[in-house]
Structures are given as structure tokens and as C-alpha cells.
Amino acid sequence: MEIHRSGVNGLSWIQRVFIDRADLYLEIMNSTWSEGEQIARSIAEILRENGLESGRVLEAFCGNGRVAIPLAIEGYDVLGFDISLPFIQDARQKAEKHRVSDKAKFIVSDAREIDSRLKGEIFDAIIIVSTSLGYYDSMTDEEILRKLRSLVKEGSILIIANTFHRETPSWNCGRVFQRYGSLVLMEDMRFDPLWSRLLSKWILLRDDGEGNLTKELEVNTEMRIYTSTELAEILRRAGWGVDSIYGDIRKKEKFSPPCPYLSLIAKAIQATE
Ligand SMILES: C[S@@+](CC[C@H](N)C(=O)[O-])C[C@H]1O[C@@H](n2cnc3c(N)ncnc32)[C@H](O)[C@@H]1O
């Protein structure tokens, strides 16, 4: 049986990274805002190709709205939810700033309880952007996807955009560095092939611009990484049939392993056991 080892209620590192030090992850999302805009443009294109020129879109795990807000600017009525209050507060402020607070709304909610939080509401499409599944275990992910399925009618679209996937060869590459403005993320990665879990030590360092680095946060993260087939199977059991598969959704590129991203487009079907 697969178990998650991320602490009480599966929230320990998630709490530290996205809630307790939300200020740091907000810097990361802010410095990748234009990536969010590009993702939103591609999502809007796919929605239109599927006959949805406008309508209600639910964004699960929306962060600070770097995709929801540009999607509202594209003309959709977006409701974003996230477990982190600081992210939601930031998203609301940004929606005001971009003058779309009537079209981009945000609520704090745990994805694991989203069906009861949004009971009775129906959306035309659901989106999940970046690696937001895999934080718990596969049964929990399936449950979340089933709960999301209860919020749409049959035939509605689900877009999972730019998530990590198991075929990426770099999982064994050890230490990687990424810069986000004055923040430097040093990540020591180890991949557990038996449970398909990526175990990383994240060290976030502040660069003062004069060659001095100060540690802001050190945390061990852990997530379940899926193959495209595993994710498609989980989706099917939860009531979503995958129609198309891409790599990076911004380029609508063909999915192929060297690309670190996997994107799936699915439609709501009858759930199978
Ligand atoms: C990798 S970030 C992606 C954020 C956003 N989708 C983006 O692309 O900018 C993952 C997000 O999932 C949220 N999250 C983690 N666990 C959650 C849960 N149980 N319910 C709702 N949101 C959750 C985090 O707070 C974080 O904003």
C-alpha cells in the first residue's frame, strides 16, 4: 500500500513552503508571472477550440492567480482556490490591480474538501497548472480529481498543464540551482523509483547582489511523480477520459520525455471503479 510520509495530515512541507514562508514562494510566482500569462493564453486557445468562448472556469491549486487573472482578462469567469491564505490575498489584490476582480474570484480551500466547499456549483472547465498533484498519495489525488469531477457536467473539459512527470531523466541529476530575482533555489534531488517519489532538499538563499548569500529556508519536500499512463488511469477512475497529451502547453508541443512537462486534456465521463 502506498503511504505518504509528509507529516500530520500530509501538510508539513506544504505548510512550511506555501503558508509559513508564503512570502518566499510568492516571489517565485511573481518572477514567473509572464510564464503564467503564456500558459493562460494557451489554455484559452484550447478552451475556444473546444467551443468554450467564455464560461466558468475553476482553477484548483491557483497560487497567487498568475494563470487565473490572465485567463479572466481573456474573458473567462474564473474561480481560483488554494490552501494558502497569503496566496489568495495576493491574488485578490492583483485581480483588483488588473481590473478583473469581477471576473477573477479567489477562495481559500483545501482541494481534499472542495466538493463540500463548492456544493451545488457547476463549472464549464477545470484547470490545474504546474506540479500541484502528487503532494499527497495517489489515492488522495484520485479523490481530489473525483471531487472536481462532481463540479462539472459530462463532457466538460479538464486541463492539467505543465506538470512534472516520471519520464523526465533529470530526476537523478543531484543538485540544481534556479534563480528567481534575488532568490536562489538550491535543490538536492533524489528519486525513489519504487514509490515514484521525488525527495528534495530545498534551500532558498537570498543574494544581496554583492556576492553574499543568506539562507532563508531549508525544507525537505516530497512528491509523487506520475507517468503519463498512471495519471491517465487515475483520471479515468475519477471520471475523466484523456483526449490529448502534450509536453509544454505554451508551445502545444508533442509530449516526449526530454521535456520536463506533461500536459493532459481530459473530458468528464462516467466514473469507472
Ligand atoms: C506548485 S504551486 C502552483 C501554483 C499555481 N498553480 C501556479 O502555477 O502558479 C502548488 C500550489 O498548490 C497549493 N496547494 C497545496 N496543497 C493544497 C491543497 N490541499 N489544497 C489546495 N491547494 C493546495 C499550494 O499552496 C500552491 O499554491
Side-chain angles (χ1 to χ4, degrees):
M1 190 180 129
E2 189 186 340
I3 36 170
H4 61 75
R5 289 156 286 175
S6 18
V8 179
N9 215 14
L11 269 186
S12 64
W13 73 263
I14 295 164
Q15 164 97 33
R16 287 190 69 203
V17 173
F18 298 127
I19 299 172
D20 300 344
R21 292 306 312 266
D23 57 320
L24 297 175
Y25 203 80
L26 269 170
E27 280 188 58
I28 293 180
M29 288 188 291
N30 285 335
S31 78
T32 56
W33 187 267
S34 66
E35 181 190 283
E37 290 174 325
Q38 291 161 15
I39 293 173
R41 267 200 295 279
S42 297
I43 287 177
E45 213 177 286
I46 292 167
L47 293 176
R48 285 187 205 113
E49 280 166 14
N50 281 272
L52 218 60
E53 295 283 338
S54 59
R56 285 198 87 195
V57 179
L58 177 66
E59 183 178 4
F61 310 95
C62 67
N64 72 339
R66 73 184 181 126
V67 174
I69 290 167
L71 202 56
I73 295 169
E74 291 274 344
Y76 294 91
D77 290 293
V78 189
L79 176 68
F81 76 84
D82 198 283
I83 201 167
S84 167
L85 173 64
F87 292 176
I88 293 300
Q89 286 171 330
D90 190 64
R92 286 178 183 149
Q93 276 173 15
K94 285 191 160 79
E96 292 249 336
K97 197 179 122 211
H98 287 87
R99 300 175 189 279
V100 285
S101 47
D102 55 333
K103 291 190 84 67
K105 310 256 184 215
F106 297 94
I107 55 166
V108 176
S109 182
D110 188 327
R112 294 168 295 178
E113 291 156 14
I114 195 62
D115 54 339
S116 44
R117 183 73 166 75
L118 294 178
K119 203 173 175 61
E121 301 216 31
I122 288 290
F123 296 86
D124 299 304
I126 297 184
I127 62 171
I128 299 177
V129 179
S130 307
T131 311
S132 302
L133 291 168
Y135 290 166
Y136 308 97
D137 55 47
S138 55
M139 279 182 298
T140 307
D141 282 338
E142 188 176 321
E143 209 40 50
I144 291 171
L145 291 164
R146 189 171 289 117
K147 287 178 175 178
L148 292 173
R149 168 66 182 87
S150 74
L151 299 171
V152 298
K153 295 200 176 111
E154 201 169 327
S156 301
I157 192 167
L158 167 72
I159 302 176
I160 297 185
N162 288 18
T163 186
F164 289 159
H165 61 89
R166 175 151 181 183
E167 283 94 341
T168 300
S170 63
W171 298 141
N172 293 317
C173 76
R175 178 167 291 180
V176 290
F177 291 88
Q178 281 185 78
R179 180 178 275 278
Y180 303 95
S182 65
L183 264 188
V184 177
L185 169 63
M186 184 173 96
E187 191 173 358
D188 279 321
M189 297 193 281
R190 189 168 67 77
F191 186 68
D192 173 354
L194 182 60
W195 297 101
S196 200
R197 294 189 85 85
L198 181 64
L199 307 149
S200 297
K201 176 181 285 190
W202 285 20
I203 299 183
L204 275 162
L205 303 158
R206 175 78 58 199
D207 181 354
D208 71 357
E210 292 176 2
N212 305 308
L213 292 172
T214 328
K215 196 196 288 181
E216 293 265 13
L217 177 70
E218 178 171 334
V219 63
N220 290 320
T221 68
E222 183 180 341
M223 60 183 97
R224 173 75 159 85
I225 304 286
Y226 298 105
T227 65
S228 49
T229 312
E230 283 170 342
L231 196 49
E233 281 170 357
I234 290 174
L235 281 161
R236 179 157 285 276
R237 285 199 297 273
W240 299 99
V242 174
D243 265 2
S244 341
I245 173 165
Y246 297 104
D248 189 336
I249 204 154
R250 289 171 294 176
K251 298 176 236 156
K252 269 181 118 188
E253 68 182 11
K254 197 167 156 249
F255 174 69
S256 64
C259 170
Y261 296 128
L262 163 68
S263 302
L264 293 174
I265 319 258
K267 297 267 172 63
I269 51 166
Q270 293 280 334
T272 53
E273 282 313 311

